[in-house]
Amino acid sequence: MPPSDPPPAESDGNHAAAIPMDEDGPAVATSSSPADEDTVMVEASEAQGAVGAASPSAKPPSPKTAEEDDIGVEIKQESKGDVKLEELFDDMDSDDDEFITSNNPANGQEPAAEGPNKDAAFELLRIYYQSFFPWRYMFQWLNHSPVPTNDFKHREFSLWLHNDAVMRYQSYKTSDLFRRDVLRLMPRRIEIGPVYTADPRDRKTFRNSTAFQPLAKELCFDIDLTEYDDVRTCCSGTKICHKCWKFTTMAIKVLDAALREDFGFHHILWVFSGRRGIHAWVCDKKARSLSDNQRKAITSYFDIMSGGKQGGKRVNLRRPLHPHLARSIDILKSHFQHDVLETQDPWQAPDKAEVLLQQIPDTELREALRKKWDASPGRSSAAKWADIDTLAQTQASSSLDPRDLRDAKQDVLLELTYPRLDAAVSQKLNHLLKSPFVVHPGTGQVCVPIDHRDLEAFDPFAVPTLQGLIAEMDAWAEKHGSEAAGSQDVKHLQDWEKTSLKPYIEYFRSFVTTLMKDERDVGIKREREEDGEVPIKVESLDF
Amino acid sequence: MNRIDAKRRNVVDHRKKQFADPVFKETQYPHRLNFYSEPPTADITLEQFEQWAIDRLRVLAELEACSFRNKTPAETATHMKPLLDKYLPLDSTSSHSSQLHAQRQKDHYSHFILRLAFASTEDLRRRFTRVETMLFRLRFQADDSRERAAFVRTLNLDWEPVSEEEKRELAQQLGATLAAGFGGKRGGPGVMDEDWCKVDWTRVPDLVESRKVYLRGGMAYVPGREQQSMVLNAFTKRLEEALELTSRALPNLDEDDRLTPILNHLSKNFIAPDSGYTSAGSSAIEGAEISARNIDNLSQHFPLCMSNVHRTLRRDGKLKHFGRLQYTLFLKGIGLSLEEALIFWRTGFRAVSDDTFNKEYRYNVRHCYGDVGGDSNRRSGGSSPFGCQKILTEHAPGPGEAHGCPYRHFTIDNLTTLLRATGVTDPAVLKGVKEDTEAQRYHIACNRVFEHLHKTELKRAKDEGIMTAAQLETIVHPNEYFKRSYLLKHLDAAPKRERDVKMEAVVSFAGS
Ligand SMILES: [Zn+2]
């Protein structure tokens, strides 16, 4: 089903109605409408005024409330001073299409939020934020220390409300204030921005813009399967399946190896983006303080497509390959054979096979292959790939340099399997990215971390959903109910520990613990260095 | 320590006061190259002070001219060699020349004297840093590789040489990096022949971006050939910082009335490319009618920056401040007298009354000609016409302003429209101009248009042997554009012999 088909869920007036944002399809095409006209920006204080001292269980503000109370809302278009329009667009380029699609073939679960009405959906979300969202570890993750520091206090959060309002430049003095605000406003999405030089809420008090500048943010990457539509034969658009999920596995392996071995980073958090992609958060202190220029350098280091657009080849690399690319090929080789050639069969159709032929660097060989493939329609991609070497050997062409052929084949392999990044997410220090552990309103799935050490074990369709978690908790209570009531062990269990969310939060906890430990050690080391440092001699100029 | 005669004593005394270290110890120069981080300590005579500075200035001005003409590094090196040998020679340590100390001292001192002369304005500081970096690059490239490596080691650039052992261990990766980053044959250039160093990757983002370095654990392995750019970056950065500090320390110098005039004179001379057109009439073309009523006619010989201002003036009957300044000085440069200039501007400003003109504009025109504005302005004959460099870099035009360089300051659409309006319609030329401006080669774009508009005449001048290679140098001054254009279009107006002389005059400014 093409992704543009209207999801039937919408007509039922169920959860889809509660999430009117339609971010489907090419982001550019649709984002202009919400950003230009519909989306409103509510300042923190104004939103507080609107909602007042609402209890956590109260319904989140609806667009109607906002209008009736006549609170000041800013149309985004008019608030360019705060938010650059193109940055908003960038943001929507990512996988975060928060809408309901009716079918997700391999996914047996109904989208979690398809409750009988939207009140129920909000109630589920409230339970989630109250009982499942790992507040403590989220705080530690961003704060890098047990006591609140500016790393947390000056960090921008942006809350996407159900009425399409986006509250940018939110910040919190403590983890608890953050939690209370989220429970009060019940955002359907939380994004994380940079740490600023000052409290983001005070940004307007600074006369000159240099006093309010982004200081630090994790180095982020975004990979979205829609970028792979020309290689995927199983799905397209927003849909995914186990077969094409392999492309994200390949991407993580290549990037993770390079970020660790080449760039020397240690704290890399991979996160399922809730539907059809993944995010990476590189959290090392050094990564967080990279300038835009340095971020751009990394992004280009990972870009093999640009500069090679000649003769139908998108990838055209110099030989011998840079060590990073040679290693990437080693990682990708077996995936290419199994997950691409055998599983996706990308050159089954004659027109696709022609694309492959165009990349063969020798006319004679190309003609021989074309003849052979024309004679056996339906020949598999794996067989075609093998034909290239076989024919090159048996019908040796005088003009063909075997190394040119090998290089061309490597370029094909890389074009099909090398990570395809959304560069905008990585290049800017002040780019916002959806927080881990947010619930994707479209799928109801939790944006859980992925353990890079066991990527094959990650199943995007087994990721806990909001509705599933509640059911698990009920089941747990039923099973352990009376007998457990008196037991000390059970009493102290957190709700998430009773569900399938447990391994993900535990993984996150250990990630955060290691990060905090390193941060502390680095801090001590730096202090020592500073103490012993020889001051740089300032040039004397008195000539 | 240099002996000085009693007459110079007060100069030395003054400098003595400023030295932090009261005990003079003669600076040693173990290396040919110098980052100029230590100020001089020994005494020199006033004559040396001035002569050394002038010699260095000659070299720097010529280097700047080379860059204006977009000479390649190799061309620049060839062009500069005789000048460097003459004015600022620097022998290698291994030469064991008896002049080593004297050469290096002169290099050291002249650099610091020019720092004082060029620290005063941001523009001068920027230009000084730029040409000093060019000079350093030239010498760095020519330096003996072993002596260069020894010098680089003294800089404390936070980089670590890669040991022979590690090179062997990483030979495969480093070899691939060299080949992938810099091209070359399979098997590639010798990894072991290259001086590799390790530096934190964040220090060389441009090399990381293009995968020209090997990365391991956050360290970038930089091949020797790329270390040059790191050294040059460091040189530029340190000089920029030092000049900032110098500019703040400058006021203390005013007490010495012997140094100030020399320094002022030096900085004034640094406006070399513009200096050929200082006074009205000096560069006038013999036989040309340079009058207010003939400007419309002459404007066919104007470069785009001036014809744009002229068209704006004719269209609007007025012109904003910087446009008037740029144009008045240009007209002065082509030989328009003050009297004619006042007529030209009075009639040109048809939108204003006599009263307003006399009150607000007349003075400015006279000031440009040095007719008013204090002794110094009168003595120098007013300001010099702007060269391309100044027009390109200073006072970018705002909305409603017509000055500046259209090749730089116009959008490509507006530029194309303007070019078409001035008769440049050849698609190949317009395409070339577009590429030039996109590559920020504004001089080249302007010269391309010049060559197109004077195609026939240039061919004839070449065929008849009228023009030498030097006379085909890239134009870097609007007044030069006018002169060359006028003379080329009037090849028949004078006998051949005379034309030769005139063409010499055309380029005389460049050699001065
Ligand atoms: Zn699929």
Side-chain angles (χ1 to χ4, degrees):
Chain A
M1 192 182 198
S4 52
D5 277 8
E10 259 182 18
S11 54
D12 300 334
N14 58 20
H15 184 64
I19 303 163
M21 285 281 282
D22 183 356
E23 294 167 15
D24 189 10
V28 185
T30 52
S31 58
S32 62
S33 124
D36 285 346
E37 296 149 26
D38 302 330
T39 313
V40 292
M41 166 115 135
V42 185
E43 292 295 325
S45 53
E46 290 156 349
Q48 274 156 6
V51 185
S55 73
S57 60
K59 267 188 274 176
S62 70
K64 203 154 184 259
T65 331
E67 278 159 28
E68 280 167 355
D69 289 2
D70 194 28
I71 59 163
V73 291
E74 288 181 55
I75 303 301
K76 265 184 187 161
Q77 208 175 11
E78 293 171 355
S79 57
K80 277 182 189 163
D82 293 322
V83 192
K84 288 205 185 93
L85 217 49
E86 62 264 38
E87 281 170 15
L88 282 166
F89 290 164
D90 285 349
D91 202 39
M92 293 174 177
D93 284 339
S94 58
D95 166 40
D96 307 316
D97 52 321
E98 304 192 335
F99 63 98
I100 305 282
T101 49
S102 59
N103 62 336
N104 205 340
N107 189 350
Q109 297 155 337
E110 287 293 313
E114 281 193 16
N117 56 49
K118 69 177 181 180
D119 288 356
F122 289 139
E123 180 59 17
L124 289 183
L125 200 53
R126 190 182 62 78
I127 295 172
Y128 178 77
Y129 282 133
Q130 235 167 9
S131 313
F132 293 104
F133 194 82
W135 295 102
R136 179 182 160 83
Y137 308 129
M138 284 290 290
F139 164 76
Q140 292 176 343
W141 174 50
L142 298 172
N143 189 60
H144 317 110
S145 150
V147 189
T149 65
N150 286 347
D151 279 5
F152 187 80
K153 289 189 282 190
H154 292 178
R155 172 79 77 158
E156 176 189 353
F157 294 92
S158 115
L159 309 184
W160 294 46
L161 307 186
H162 288 268
N163 62 1
D164 285 356
V166 179
M167 297 169 61
R168 283 207 53 187
Y169 299 110
Q170 305 303 295
S171 61
Y172 304 99
K173 298 258 183 294
T174 66
S175 168
D176 192 51
L177 287 172
F178 179 33
R179 180 173 182 268
R180 270 157 59 186
D181 216 26
V182 167
L183 282 170
R184 184 173 61 82
L185 296 164
M186 218 69 79
R188 61 185 170 82
R189 168 180 175 142
I190 301 168
E191 288 191 344
I192 298 174
V195 179
Y196 284 92
T197 45
D199 189 332
R201 290 188 194 258
D202 298 337
R203 74 193 180 286
K204 286 190 172 167
T205 60
F206 295 102
R207 284 270 165 112
N208 60 11
S209 52
T210 51
F212 184 73
Q213 292 286 327
L215 259 190
K217 203 201 70 185
E218 290 74 9
L219 170 67
C220 294
F221 295 96
D222 177 19
I223 292 160
D224 189 319
L225 278 177
T226 49
E227 292 298 316
Y228 290 79
D229 277 359
D230 61 318
V231 236
R232 296 199 288 171
T233 54
C234 51
C235 314
S236 66
T238 58
K239 285 186 288 177
I240 66 155
C241 68
H242 285 110
K243 289 178 184 174
C244 51
W245 182 255
K246 289 289 182 188
F247 284 106
T248 64
T249 307
M250 295 178 225
I252 295 177
K253 283 184 180 177
V254 166
L255 291 176
D256 198 78
L259 289 168
R260 286 173 206 276
E261 293 170 27
D262 298 356
F263 291 96
F265 295 129
H266 302 290
H267 305 283
I268 307 165
L269 185 69
W270 293 96
V271 180
F272 177 51
S273 65
R275 178 189 290 277
R276 56 182 157 88
I278 40 156
H279 296 157
W281 299 75
V282 186
C283 307
D284 297 58
K285 193 171 180 69
K286 187 173 162 189
R288 301 202 308 267
S289 51
L290 293 175
S291 67
D292 280 351
N293 193 30
Q294 290 160 339
R295 284 166 205 258
K296 188 172 141 271
I298 293 199
T299 316
S300 303
Y301 186 81
F302 290 133
D303 178 11
I304 60 165
M305 298 287 191
S306 35
K309 279 182 197 149
Q310 51 182 53
K313 286 182 78 175
R314 291 172 72 196
V315 174
N316 208 344
L317 297 161
R318 280 194 181 162
R319 294 304 190 287
L321 287 172
H322 185 275
H324 158 65
L325 296 170
R327 179 192 48 223
S328 299
I329 288 187
D330 285 344
I331 294 172
L332 294 166
K333 249 186 322 210
S334 64
H335 284 287
F336 180 71
Q337 188 63 36
H338 297 117
D339 300 329
V340 180
L341 294 188
E342 290 164 20
T343 307
Q344 296 288 344
D345 200 0
W347 308 307
Q348 158 81 251
D351 60 321
K352 298 273 183 165
E354 185 57 34
V355 174
L356 173 62
L357 283 174
Q358 287 311 315
Q359 312 203 32
I360 301 295
D362 180 74
T363 328
E364 278 178 55
L365 177 60
R366 204 182 304 142
E367 285 315 312
L369 286 167
R370 188 176 283 129
K371 212 169 121 195
K372 184 175 176 107
W373 297 349
D374 284 348
S376 55
R379 193 166 173 79
S380 76
S381 296
K384 283 173 177 163
W385 186 247
D387 288 342
I388 298 174
D389 280 343
T390 315
L391 289 194
Q393 275 155 23
T394 54
Q395 313 193 345
S397 157
S398 50
S399 54
L400 178 64
D401 183 337
R403 286 177 305 193
D404 287 344
L405 184 62
R406 186 203 59 195
D407 294 349
K409 288 181 68 184
Q410 285 180 340
D411 285 348
V412 169
L413 181 152
L414 284 171
E415 185 188 331
L416 267 53
T417 55
Y418 190 83
R420 300 178 179 188
L421 296 173
D422 176 354
V425 173
S426 312
Q427 284 176 346
K428 287 266 191 226
L429 182 56
N430 59 0
H431 198 100
L432 293 125
L433 192 64
K434 184 163 62 178
S435 166
F437 290 104
V438 157
V439 174
H440 190 292
T443 60
Q445 290 185 305
V446 181
C447 299
V448 292
I450 301 173
D451 187 344
H452 69 98
R453 293 161 306 187
D454 195 6
L455 290 173
E456 319 291 344
F458 180 82
D459 177 356
F461 299 103
V463 167
T465 63
L466 182 46
Q467 213 170 38
L469 287 173
I470 308 240
E472 285 178 43
M473 207 167 62
D474 290 347
W476 189 93
E478 221 163 87
K479 189 172 163 210
H480 297 85
S482 48
E483 47 162 311
S487 158
Q488 283 290 345
D489 301 344
V490 172
K491 235 183 198 166
H492 288 94
L493 278 185
Q494 307 234 33
D495 282 340
W496 56 262
E497 289 178 283
K498 304 167 186 169
T499 66
S500 56
L501 198 57
K502 186 177 179 217
Y504 299 104
I505 292 186
E506 282 176 344
Y507 173 80
F508 186 58
R509 179 175 62 194
S510 77
F511 177 88
V512 171
T513 307
T514 324
L515 174 66
M516 280 208 297
K517 184 176 173 299
D518 253 27
E519 203 86 4
R520 206 171 54 228
D521 294 348
V522 167
I524 292 165
K525 194 169 159 239
R526 186 175 305 114
E527 264 168 39
R528 283 204 195 112
E529 274 171 7
E530 276 163 13
D531 285 347
E533 206 176 46
V534 184
I536 297 160
K537 193 172 174 233
V538 178
E539 273 172 47
S540 144
L541 285 152
D542 34 16
F543 174 62
Chain B
M1 200 186 297
N2 291 357
R3 294 263 152 232
I4 47 134
D5 58 305
K7 249 177 13 190
R8 312 284 174 215
R9 182 66 66 183
N10 70 335
V11 175
V12 175
D13 283 350
H14 165 74
R15 298 206 335 273
K16 257 185 192 165
K17 274 186 292 180
Q18 299 224 337
F19 288 149
D21 185 354
V23 183
F24 292 175
K25 54 176 196 289
E26 199 157 6
T27 315
Q28 297 300 314
Y29 302 102
H31 303 286
R32 178 175 173 266
L33 298 169
N34 196 335
F35 250 43
Y36 311 109
S37 37
E38 297 295 329
T41 49
D43 300 338
I44 56 170
T45 66
L46 203 57
E47 278 82 10
Q48 283 174 321
F49 184 95
E50 186 164 15
Q51 190 56 50
W52 291 359
I54 289 171
D55 285 352
R56 191 182 194 89
L57 187 59
R58 263 186 236 270
V59 167
L60 296 182
E62 196 59 31
L63 263 178
E64 191 176 52
C66 285
S67 84
F68 286 159
R69 307 215 157 84
N70 284 297
K71 281 194 193 292
T72 66
E75 286 165 0
T76 304
T78 315
H79 181 82
M80 290 304 296
K81 186 159 188 314
L83 280 154
L84 283 167
D85 288 347
K86 186 170 176 195
Y87 296 112
L88 218 48
L90 272 187
D91 290 323
S92 69
T93 308
S94 60
S95 74
H96 300 296
S97 157
S98 61
Q99 296 298 307
L100 280 191
H101 183 82
Q103 289 175 350
R104 291 172 187 187
Q105 189 188 35
K106 179 177 174 184
D107 176 57
H108 183 207
Y109 281 56
S110 60
H111 170 88
F112 271 91
I113 298 166
L114 293 192
R115 269 196 199 180
L116 295 179
F118 299 126
S120 58
T121 72
E122 204 196 319
D123 177 49
L124 283 172
R125 289 197 293 274
R126 195 180 59 234
R127 285 176 63 198
F128 182 66
T129 308
R130 191 167 162 268
V131 287
E132 277 286 340
T133 305
M134 288 172 66
L135 177 62
F136 183 84
R137 181 200 286 129
L138 210 60
R139 291 166 160 180
F140 189 83
Q141 285 165 339
D143 209 20
D144 173 86
S145 67
R146 200 173 305 164
E147 288 182 27
R148 179 173 55 205
F151 169 74
V152 168
R153 272 196 294 278
T154 65
L155 296 177
N156 295 319
L157 292 173
D158 280 346
W159 65 19
E160 192 188 323
V162 178
S163 68
E164 293 297 307
E165 194 188 338
E166 195 177 7
K167 272 205 266 184
R168 261 191 294 278
E169 185 193 318
L170 298 174
Q172 195 196 336
Q173 289 91 326
L174 298 180
T177 304
L178 271 188
F182 303 94
K185 298 205 168 69
R186 275 172 209 276
V191 170
M192 302 305 288
D193 302 336
E194 196 88 33
D195 283 324
W196 293 83
C197 73
K198 277 190 272 193
V199 59
D200 193 290
W201 77 265
T202 52
R203 299 274 307 277
V204 287
D206 48 331
L207 298 179
V208 170
E209 181 167 328
S210 47
R211 288 193 291 267
K212 283 186 170 163
V213 287
Y214 169 59
L215 289 182
R216 191 160 85 149
M219 297 301 276
Y221 288 65
V222 185
R225 59 191 82 178
E226 286 299 320
Q227 288 165 22
Q228 181 192 315
S229 68
M230 294 168 59
V231 175
L232 292 178
N233 285 344
F235 181 89
T236 307
K237 196 161 162 277
R238 290 188 193 185
L239 183 53
E240 276 169 357
E241 287 164 6
L243 284 170
E244 275 299 329
L245 293 174
T246 310
S247 73
R248 272 178 254 152
L250 270 185
N252 298 334
L253 262 176
D254 288 347
E255 38 187 285
D256 192 310
D257 51 3
R258 281 171 182 268
L259 297 189
T260 313
I262 299 177
L263 294 174
N264 286 344
H265 182 67
L266 287 171
S267 58
K268 217 168 197 171
N269 273 352
F270 197 38
I271 319 168
D274 305 351
S275 55
Y277 299 98
T278 303
S279 55
S282 70
S283 56
I285 300 169
E286 202 186 322
E289 189 202 333
I290 311 287
S291 64
R293 60 174 186 169
N294 201 32
I295 297 293
D296 285 323
N297 176 35
L298 290 171
S299 70
Q300 60 178 303
H301 302 296
F302 289 2
L304 205 56
C305 52
M306 297 304 166
S307 60
N308 179 50
V309 176
H310 185 75
R311 295 164 74 89
T312 308
L313 175 67
R314 286 293 180 248
R315 189 193 63 205
D316 300 346
K318 59 182 184 191
L319 209 53
K320 296 209 172 177
H321 174 76
F322 285 113
R324 292 201 309 273
L325 187 60
Q326 177 177 315
Y327 197 32
T328 307
L329 293 173
F330 170 77
L331 293 176
K332 181 175 92 168
I334 73 170
L336 191 70
S337 68
L338 174 60
E339 295 68 36
E340 288 293 323
L342 287 169
I343 295 169
F344 173 78
W345 286 106
R346 175 59 287 230
T347 50
F349 268 57
R350 54 173 201 274
V352 305
S353 69
D354 278 341
D355 196 34
T356 311
F357 181 83
N358 288 334
K359 243 192 274 174
E360 294 183 19
Y361 302 112
R362 194 180 183 84
Y363 183 87
N364 287 343
V365 176
R366 290 176 60 201
H367 193 273
C368 283
Y369 277 75
D371 195 44
V372 289
D375 280 353
S376 71
N377 189 48
R378 257 179 277 184
R379 228 179 296 129
S380 62
S383 318
S384 301
F386 295 165
C388 294
Q389 186 67 6
K390 199 174 172 71
I391 293 173
L392 282 169
T393 55
E394 289 179 19
H395 304 294
E401 292 187 310
H403 67 278
C405 171
Y407 296 104
R408 170 162 195 177
H409 297 119
F410 276 30
T411 64
I412 187 65
D413 287 345
N414 290 344
L415 176 62
T416 309
T417 310
L418 178 62
L419 280 170
R420 284 179 188 284
T422 56
V424 181
T425 52
D426 187 319
V429 174
L430 292 173
K431 185 165 170 283
V433 165
K434 181 166 183 283
E435 287 162 5
D436 292 337
T437 55
E438 279 165 359
Q440 305 188 342
R441 295 158 66 97
Y442 312 111
H443 293 113
I444 303 296
C446 185
N447 280 272
R448 181 189 296 280
V449 169
F450 180 87
E451 277 164 32
H452 170 67
L453 292 173
H454 303 82
K455 205 166 25 190
T456 326
E457 295 80 7
L458 280 168
K459 185 175 180 302
R460 200 183 136 196
K462 243 183 267 178
D463 290 347
E464 295 180 17
I466 302 169
M467 292 183 80
T468 66
Q471 289 162 344
L472 293 167
E473 292 275 23
T474 309
I475 297 168
V476 293
H477 200 295
N479 288 80
E480 166 67 7
Y481 185 107
F482 169 78
K483 237 178 163 172
R484 238 188 253 188
S485 172
Y486 186 89
L487 291 174
L488 282 168
K489 294 287 182 189
H490 294 80
L491 283 176
D492 292 322
K496 190 172 176 291
R497 273 182 64 86
E498 254 179 71
R499 288 205 304 267
D500 282 355
V501 175
K502 277 173 190 159
M503 292 312 288
E504 286 299 328
V506 165
V507 290
S508 64
F509 84 97
S512 61

